[in-house]
Amino acid sequence: MNLKINTLLSDLNEQLNFIDIEIDDTINRCEKAIEIIIVSIQKLKILFLKEKFKNQEQEIDFFKNIKPKFTSKFIYYNIIYKIETKKPYGGERIVKKYLNNELQKLKTYFDNNLDFYKYYRTGNNYLDFKYFVRGKFDIKLTIDSFFFEVDHNFSTSHDFKVAKILAHDLVQVYLENKLIEINNKSVKEKSQHNHNAKLTWTAPKVALIELLYALQSEKVFNNGSTDLKEIAEYLENIFNVDLGQYRRTFLEIRVRKTERTKFLNTLKETLEKRMNNSDEPI
C-alpha cells in the first residue's frame, strides 16, 4: 500500500504545483485545488479500506503521518479560500487589520490545543494508541466536535488535529507574506517620485515567464550580455508584477504534457490573425 500511497501523494503534489503556476487568481486556484484534493482523499480512503494492518503500529503510522499529508492540503486551501472570499474591500489599514485577525484565529486554536501541540511537536508517542487508533478516543483528550461527524472507519480522534497543525503552519506563512507585500507596496509607493501611470501585467504570470526565457534565449538585451535575473527584475518593475520563483516555474513549463510554449504560440496566432484582417487599423 505504501508504494501506491506515495504515488498518489506525488501525483497530488504535481497537480497542485501545476495549478499554482497556471492559475494566478487565488480564489480560482483554491477552488480547483480543493476539487483535486477531494478526489485524491477518496482514492486514499479506498486504498486504506482494502488494507489489513498487520499490527497497531501500522495503523498509528497511517493516521499520524500519512493521512494528514493529504487532509492538511484540503484544510489549507479551504482556509485560504474563506480568507480571500471574505476579505474586505478597502485601504491598507482595513486589509491589514483583517489579516492580523486571521492570524489571531490561528493563535487561539494553538492556545486551545497547546497540550497536543507540545505532544506532537516534540515527537512523543506514549498516547498514540489513543490518538491514532480507531475506536480508542478519550473524551478527556480535547476532541474536535468535527470527529463525531466523520466516518470512524477512516478517522481517529486526532488525525484531523495533526492535519490542522500542518495546515495552520502554511496559512500562517501565507498571511505573513500578504502583510509583508502590503508593507513593501506602501514603502515603494512612498519612495516613488515618478507618478506616471505604469503598465500592469494582467495575463497569467506563467505567460510572462515564458516570454522572459524566450527573450533571454534570443539575446535581445545588450547583445545577450544581460543575465536572466536582471531581465526578470526589469519586467517585474515595468509591468508591476511579482514573478515569484520563476526558475521553478520554468521547470514546470518544461514538463508540460501539452504545448510547452502555450503563450508564445497564442501570441503568434493572434498576431497573424490581426495581420490577415484587412480592416484592422495599424
Side-chain angles (χ1 to χ4, degrees):
M1 183 175 73
N2 284 341
L3 179 60
K4 292 180 179 179
I5 289 177
N6 288 337
T7 301
L8 185 62
L9 183 60
S10 178
D11 289 344
L12 174 59
N13 287 331
E14 183 179 342
Q15 292 180 74
L16 294 178
N17 287 337
F18 180 77
I19 66 171
D20 278 345
I21 66 171
E22 290 290 333
I23 305 176
D24 286 336
D25 181 77
T26 304
I27 293 175
N28 291 339
R29 185 164 63 244
C30 288
E31 289 174 347
K32 184 62 178 177
I34 290 170
E35 291 176 6
I36 292 170
I37 296 166
I38 288 174
V39 172
S40 186
I41 292 175
Q42 289 171 341
K43 291 179 180 178
L44 178 68
K45 183 177 181 180
I46 292 171
L47 287 174
F48 171 78
L49 294 178
K50 288 181 179 179
E51 182 71 11
K52 292 183 179 180
F53 291 117
K54 296 178 181 178
N55 50 55
Q56 192 177 80
E57 285 70 26
Q58 288 184 338
E59 182 173 1
I60 289 172
D61 180 59
F62 178 83
F63 286 108
K64 185 176 184 179
N65 301 311
I66 297 175
K67 184 187 173 187
K69 291 179 181 178
F70 290 81
T71 49
S72 63
K73 298 179 189 299
F74 175 82
I75 296 169
Y76 168 74
Y77 281 102
N78 193 42
I79 291 175
I80 299 303
Y81 180 79
K82 290 179 180 178
I83 288 172
E84 290 298 328
T85 53
K86 295 179 180 179
K87 186 166 66 177
Y89 291 100
E92 290 180 1
R93 184 181 63 82
I94 294 174
V95 175
K96 286 174 69 173
K97 181 179 179 181
Y98 172 75
L99 296 176
N100 279 311
N101 285 339
E102 293 300 317
L103 280 172
Q104 183 59 44
K105 290 179 184 179
L106 300 182
K107 185 179 184 304
T108 300
Y109 186 83
F110 169 82
D111 292 340
N112 291 338
N113 295 275
L114 185 57
D115 289 341
F116 183 73
Y117 265 85
K118 289 180 178 179
Y119 175 87
Y120 178 74
R121 292 297 193 197
T122 54
N124 280 311
N125 57 20
Y126 63 91
L127 285 176
D128 282 3
F129 73 98
K130 287 191 175 182
Y131 287 148
F132 304 112
V133 175
R134 290 166 295 172
K136 299 292 185 179
F137 73 91
D138 187 336
I139 197 65
K140 298 177 182 179
L141 295 177
T142 319
I143 300 174
D144 289 341
S145 59
F146 173 82
F147 171 69
F148 299 101
E149 302 172 12
V150 299
D151 181 356
H152 290 182
N153 289 321
F154 189 55
S155 298
T156 68
S157 63
H158 282 67
D159 69 87
F160 186 76
K161 204 179 286 287
V162 171
K164 289 196 79 169
I165 290 176
L166 299 177
H168 283 188
D169 286 346
L170 297 176
V171 174
Q172 180 178 341
V173 171
Y174 178 87
L175 292 170
E176 289 174 347
N177 285 340
K178 285 294 181 183
L179 288 167
I180 290 171
E181 286 177 12
I182 293 173
N183 291 331
N184 289 344
K185 181 180 178 182
S186 179
V187 171
K188 185 176 180 180
E189 288 176 350
K190 288 179 181 178
S191 63
Q192 191 175 30
H193 299 293
N194 181 7
H195 299 290
N196 293 330
K198 294 184 67 174
L199 296 176
T200 297
W201 184 269
T202 54
K205 292 178 186 177
V206 67
L208 186 56
I209 292 171
E210 268 188 50
L211 186 60
L212 160 66
Y213 275 85
L215 293 173
Q216 200 254 349
S217 300
E218 190 63 19
K219 298 179 170 48
V220 299
F221 297 112
N222 299 332
N223 297 315
S225 63
T226 309
D227 65 25
L228 188 69
K229 185 173 183 293
E230 288 181 90
I231 301 172
E233 290 176 349
Y234 181 76
L235 294 178
E236 286 180 323
N237 182 54
I238 64 171
F239 291 133
N240 193 29
V241 63
D242 179 7
L243 292 178
Q245 300 181 32
Y246 54 86
R247 295 181 190 275
R248 194 200 77 174
T249 302
F250 181 66
L251 295 177
E252 298 286 348
I253 293 173
R254 285 177 56 189
V255 297
R256 278 177 176 165
K257 294 180 181 179
T258 55
E259 53 181 342
R260 295 194 292 181
T261 55
K262 182 165 62 175
F263 178 64
L264 298 178
N265 292 345
T266 300
L267 280 181
K268 180 176 179 292
E269 292 170 5
T270 304
L271 180 57
E272 287 184 343
K273 182 178 179 180
R274 181 170 182 174
M275 288 176 173
N276 292 333
N277 188 343
S278 59
D279 296 328
E280 175 70 28
I282 296 176

